Amino acid sequence: MDYEVIVVGGGPVGMILAAELALAGVKVCVLERLKDTTPYSRALTLHPRSLELFDLRGLKSKLMSIGKPLPTGHFAALDTRLDFSVFDSSSNYTLYISQHDTEKVLEEWAQSAGVEIRREVEVVSVRQDAQCVEVTAVGAKGKAVLSAAYVVGADGAGSLVRKQAGIPFEGTDTTLTATLGDVVLAYPPETNGFSRVTEHGLVMIVPVTDRLHRVVMIDPLRTGVPKEEPVTLEELSSGMERILGSDLGISEPFWLSRFGNATRQAKRYRERRIFLAGDAAHIHFPAGGQGLNVGLQEAMNLGWKLAAELKGRAPDWLLDSYHTERFPVNTALLRNTQAQTLLMGFDFSPRMMGLRSMLSDLLRIPEANKELAAQIAAFDVRYAPDEDALPHALNGSRFTELKLRLDSGAVLNAYELFHSGRFVLLHLASDDRLNDVVPWEEYGHIQVVRASIAGNRNEAEWDDVHTALIRPDGHIAWAVPRSEPQPLEAVKRGIARWCGRRPI
């Protein structure tokens, strides 16, 4: 075979997935039809959990040097903003950064990890058998037929990979459209996150660069326009005049686009040797800017699992757990975006305006605000606990940042332990017998850390933890309570279940 994994699609999802695989020593190739990273940025926001994932791999500081942090977000453009600052995380904010810049950072990381990136190559066929997947692609150098043990389709809503794998894309088509434009405004709003909803429609405005602003508009006079019809500057200008009373001196369009409310999800995220991630697996109205962010989470979920399978250390159930874990998360996401779509003003009647006002008032209640903020931030994502593990409140949950004091006395942020993409076995009970649980020298994919908690706000969650296994994607596989009569036996069973097959 030419590669162990071929990733079709070189956007942010494809790049981070390829980098994750290469980090684990997998031979991987990205096939991308575009010559360069697109200058247009459909996504402008990295959400808190995405920033935590980048922190796990040591990439966050690079992104922070480019983007602009903001402590709030929105749900359905309601007047009351979502407050991310209440969360116990050093990433308790969104980062305004163009998708173009995010893609460049991820492409550089993928290349440094050893990913082969082939641009100006369009995939025209994907076929699999029991041994491998064969990909046919056409580019400037003619036709190439490549093979790999696995293929991942990160090739967008119209995914050829999904279609050729025969995976149904279930849901609803576009019935309503909205518009956006990256434009120059002579009189931009003073706030960075401006939105206004009136009986005439909705306008949201955010800065893209020092010169450009993103204008998103839902104009009730234009929601029936087909998605394919080009947007004009006049269309944006006239709509802003009706909704805002001024077009704010709009001029010099850099990018104009129309988008719809189609909502679909792949019936399954795996078909034997083929997997789907990002828009290839689900599409929705871009309410709350969640699409790119969930795709990044999927890539992190899938990467270490595919690597484990290829390196001969994955249990039989592991690859199927990608669909099992991510499908319900994205089902909830689609419900979330459909609710926001309903509220964002396609209906501008007085009763809907009254509902928006009522919900905005409810978001002033801290608990309600935090509930919705957790959904948008993806801080509420918790995978089903492993039924074969001892019960523990931390099982399946997101691993929040901890300050750890190592046996040497040094204090570090636990996220630093994940830069290599390995499992972390966090041992907090100072039991020397841990050395004898397994022959650790044969488990190089597990980093064993003996430490104590060095004063965290969430320290109480860890008071009864003897040992915990944290997955490479920053979720807790299992935790053994200190009250367990035979904790080391539980650790041994947990290692065997999640990491037991020896590397080839």
Side-chain angles (χ1 to χ4, degrees):
M1 285 184 284
D2 299 293
Y3 302 97
E4 291 177 287
V5 178
I6 293 173
V7 178
V8 181
V13 175
M15 285 298 178
I16 195 171
L17 174 61
E20 283 288 292
L21 291 164
L23 197 62
V26 172
K27 186 179 181 183
V28 58
C29 174
V30 172
L31 302 180
E32 169 56 51
R33 63 181 179 83
L34 297 178
K35 179 180 180 180
D36 298 299
T37 301
T38 175
Y40 310 123
S41 295
R42 291 190 177 275
L44 286 176
T45 306
L46 291 176
H47 286 165
R49 183 52 180 167
S50 297
L51 294 173
E52 285 190 341
L53 295 178
F54 287 129
D55 206 3
L56 289 170
R57 295 298 183 264
L59 295 174
K60 180 182 169 182
S61 60
K62 175 66 173 177
L63 293 160
M64 291 294 295
S65 71
I66 302 170
K68 180 176 182 178
L70 291 173
T72 64
H74 78 88
F75 187 87
L78 295 173
D79 289 341
T80 303
R81 303 279 293 178
L82 300 178
D83 183 7
F84 297 124
S85 69
V86 299
F87 292 106
D88 183 18
S89 170
S90 66
S91 298
N92 55 359
Y93 47 81
T94 61
L95 186 68
Y96 267 139
I97 182 172
S98 73
Q99 182 173 324
H100 167 81
D101 289 331
T102 301
E103 286 185 11
K104 293 302 291 184
V105 170
L106 292 177
E107 183 171 3
E108 290 171 5
W109 182 47
Q111 288 175 324
S112 69
V115 175
E116 181 180 342
I117 300 171
R118 297 192 183 191
R119 287 192 171 273
E120 295 186 273
V121 171
E122 184 166 4
V123 173
V124 296
S125 174
V126 179
R127 309 201 181 284
Q128 64 175 319
D129 57 30
Q131 285 73 43
C132 72
V133 187
E134 185 179 89
V135 176
T136 302
V138 177
K141 297 181 180 179
K143 184 172 77 171
V145 180
L146 306 170
S147 61
Y150 295 96
V151 163
V152 181
D155 51 339
S159 174
L160 177 89
V161 175
R162 183 188 66 239
K163 293 171 183 175
Q164 300 227 328
I167 299 175
F169 203 36
E170 300 178 337
T172 58
D173 290 329
T174 294
T175 58
L176 299 163
T177 60
T179 55
L180 67 80
D182 290 347
V183 297
V184 173
L185 297 178
Y187 312 105
E190 294 182 0
T191 59
N192 285 320
F194 173 87
S195 65
R196 182 170 297 172
V197 181
T198 73
E199 66 273 20
H200 300 296
L202 175 149
V203 171
M204 299 176 63
I205 301 174
V206 295
V208 178
T209 67
D210 291 340
R211 185 168 177 271
L212 294 176
H213 280 75
R214 165 74 50 87
V215 175
V216 178
M217 185 172 68
I218 300 176
D219 181 347
L221 301 182
R222 304 288 294 171
T223 54
V225 175
K227 181 182 174 182
E228 296 73 26
E229 182 174 319
V231 179
T232 65
L233 187 64
E234 170 56 29
E235 180 178 3
L236 283 179
S237 175
S238 61
M240 292 170 69
E241 287 278 4
R242 285 194 305 276
I243 299 166
L244 303 179
S246 168
D247 71 358
L248 305 181
I250 189 172
S251 65
E252 299 183 54
F254 177 69
W255 180 48
L256 301 174
S257 181
R258 198 180 309 275
F259 56 96
N261 65 334
T263 302
R264 292 185 174 277
Q265 182 168 208
K267 187 173 184 178
R268 52 190 179 275
Y269 288 6
R270 178 189 183 187
E271 178 61 35
R272 295 180 290 162
R273 293 182 173 274
I274 294 175
F275 294 82
L276 303 176
D279 288 352
H282 44 77
I283 58 171
H284 52 84
F285 192 73
Q290 299 170 91
L292 167 63
N293 291 277
V294 296
L296 297 174
Q297 294 157 34
E298 287 156 18
M300 293 286 282
N301 184 293
L302 178 58
W304 67 273
K305 293 174 180 179
L306 266 180
E309 177 67 26
L310 288 162
K311 298 303 178 182
R313 55 187 182 229
D316 293 339
W317 52 268
L318 189 63
L319 282 184
D320 284 337
S321 75
Y322 170 60
H323 172 89
T324 303
E325 290 184 340
R326 292 305 307 177
F327 188 86
V329 171
N330 292 322
T331 300
L333 166 71
L334 298 189
R335 289 198 298 266
N336 169 301
T337 56
Q338 286 174 318
Q340 290 194 71
T341 303
L342 178 65
L343 290 167
M344 283 181 75
F346 285 104
D347 176 0
F348 294 94
S349 65
R351 65 179 183 176
M352 182 58 72
M353 299 299 283
L355 177 60
R356 287 180 57 84
S357 178
M358 182 184 72
L359 292 175
S360 187
D361 288 342
L362 286 174
L363 286 182
R364 294 191 178 96
I365 301 172
E367 293 80 5
N369 194 297
K370 188 173 183 179
E371 178 73 20
L372 284 185
Q375 290 184 26
I376 299 297
F379 279 172
D380 68 332
V381 174
R382 183 189 188 100
Y383 299 134
D386 183 356
E387 294 181 356
D388 286 0
L390 293 172
H392 197 283
L394 290 174
N395 291 358
S397 66
R398 149 184 160 258
F399 179 57
T400 55
E401 292 167 294
L402 293 175
K403 292 292 184 183
L404 299 177
R405 181 171 286 105
L406 305 181
D407 286 352
S408 65
V411 175
L412 56 72
N413 184 332
Y415 277 15
E416 296 176 36
L417 301 169
F418 292 84
H419 289 186
S420 63
R422 294 182 290 169
F423 281 96
V424 170
L425 188 79
L426 181 57
H427 179 66
L428 302 174
S430 301
D431 191 335
D432 290 337
R433 295 175 300 167
L434 182 71
N435 296 332
D436 302 322
V437 169
V438 297
W440 294 110
E441 67 278 2
E442 298 180 15
Y443 286 80
H445 56 298
I446 305 175
Q447 186 176 1
V448 181
V449 179
R450 295 170 174 82
S452 60
I453 307 297
N456 294 266
R457 281 192 289 172
N458 59 339
E459 183 174 356
E461 297 178 350
W462 293 83
D463 283 347
D464 74 332
V465 175
H466 178 282
T467 304
L469 182 68
I470 301 112
R471 303 165 13 162
D473 62 351
H475 278 261
I476 299 169
W478 48 257
V480 175
R482 290 178 184 263
S483 58
E484 166 61 29
Q486 296 181 304
L488 295 181
E489 282 300 313
V491 171
K492 184 176 182 179
R493 290 195 304 272
I495 293 294
R497 173 161 170 77
W498 284 80
C499 320
R501 286 168 57 189
R502 306 284 175 82
I504 296 174

